[in-house]
Amino acid sequence: DIQMTQSPSFLSASVGDRVTLSCKASQNINKYLAWYQQKLGEAPKLLIYNANSLQTGIPSRFSGSGSGTDFTLTISSLQPEDVATYFCLQHNSWPLTFGSGTKLEIK
Amino acid sequence: EVQLVESGGGLVKPGSSLKLSCVASGFTFSSYGMHWIRQAPKKGLEWIALIYYDSSNKYYADSVKGRFTISRDNSKNTLYLEMNSLRSEDTAMYYCAVTTEAPFDYWGQGVMVTVSS
């Protein structure tokens, strides 16, 4: 199985900050990486797929980049409503596997 | 609007069985593969099962293979997960999810399963 490693596991930042979250795959997954946002008590919500494709309805301050084994989710200007845990998912090969998450809080 | 509504969770003892349901609406259920994904308390997400749109193929994570069975009834727009020989490590929120245009682009609200004596 492909292992997905996210860093950091916890991040505290100020409103308006540019925030970068990392996800690394244990082997090449081409561009097949998705990002999900999970707010407390809610189901995950798809933000980004195929590494850099923004899901419909997601604010443009969210963006994704990367290919191969190294990927990044960037929030260009952190908003209070972005407080959540962010998970990456490799959708290159079965079984699909998630990272362990980055918990993002407002400083 | 796509909606997925799970039910059937609860508190059960180790070794017992439970059957979850997920009723779908807002899309052509019979045209899409369906998944179950779970999340143990304060833990990450784990994909556990997939069933093709026509039930022709089913796939499971190793952690549940041989104990869990995924099925569907396209006439009722309903997905099922039959869970046998439950263990404490199966305690989790269970989500049904579908990939329509992007991976797991729609999720249910989840149903909690607690396995404890």
Side-chain angles (χ1 to χ4, degrees):
Chain A
D1 298 1
I2 297 175
Q3 306 302 314
M4 305 301 294
T5 302
Q6 289 187 244
S7 61
S9 54
F10 177 83
L11 180 60
S12 182
S14 300
V15 172
D17 281 356
R18 182 181 182 87
V19 171
T20 300
L21 283 59
S22 173
C23 180
K24 294 183 186 294
S26 61
Q27 62 191 74
N28 181 17
I29 59 169
N30 301 296
K31 66 175 183 177
Y32 299 111
L33 191 284
W35 290 95
Y36 297 83
Q37 176 193 64
Q38 186 176 34
K39 295 184 178 180
L40 197 62
E42 297 184 4
K45 178 197 292 187
L46 176 65
L47 301 176
I48 302 280
Y49 62 98
N50 289 349
N52 60 13
S53 296
L54 190 67
Q55 174 68 345
T56 304
I58 301 302
S60 59
R61 64 180 181 274
F62 292 93
S63 64
S65 63
S67 66
T69 60
D70 292 344
F71 300 85
T72 298
L73 173 69
T74 299
I75 307 173
S76 61
S77 177
L78 186 65
Q79 300 302 303
E81 60 266 31
D82 300 336
V83 168
T85 300
Y86 293 82
F87 294 96
C88 61
L89 165 77
Q90 67 83 13
H91 56 104
N92 180 74
S93 60
W94 292 95
L96 304 191
T97 46
F98 293 87
S100 56
T102 293
K103 187 174 183 179
L104 178 60
E105 293 191 352
I106 300 292
K107 195 180 292 184
Chain B
E1 179 195 5
V2 172
Q3 282 201 317
L4 299 169
V5 180
E6 301 97 335
S7 61
L11 172 63
V12 295
K13 294 187 185 320
S16 59
S17 299
L18 202 60
K19 188 171 185 176
L20 307 182
S21 300
C22 169
V23 177
S25 60
F27 67 105
T28 306
F29 179 74
S30 58
S31 296
Y32 293 94
M34 294 295 298
H35 304 260
W36 287 100
I37 297 165
R38 69 183 180 182
Q39 185 172 32
K42 300 188 189 284
K43 298 285 189 179
L45 297 156
E46 179 187 21
W47 169 85
I48 57 171
L50 157 67
I51 184 168
Y52 277 21
Y53 71 100
D54 60 354
S55 303
S56 59
N57 285 287
K58 303 174 185 181
Y59 299 96
Y60 300 93
D62 288 345
S63 57
V64 305
K65 199 174 297 181
R67 300 186 301 122
F68 289 13
T69 302
I70 189 171
S71 61
R72 64 191 297 159
D73 184 338
N74 286 345
S75 70
K76 296 181 178 179
N77 283 3
T78 302
L79 173 72
Y80 302 101
L81 184 68
E82 186 157 11
M83 304 183 292
N84 297 319
S85 304
L86 282 162
R87 308 166 179 167
S88 58
E89 54 264 37
D90 296 317
T91 294
M93 185 72 80
Y94 285 74
Y95 297 98
C96 61
V98 63
T99 292
T100 60
E101 298 179 350
F104 305 143
D105 46 359
Y106 296 99
W107 298 61
Q109 85 287 355
V111 62
M112 189 67 201
V113 173
T114 304
V115 184
S116 175
S117 54

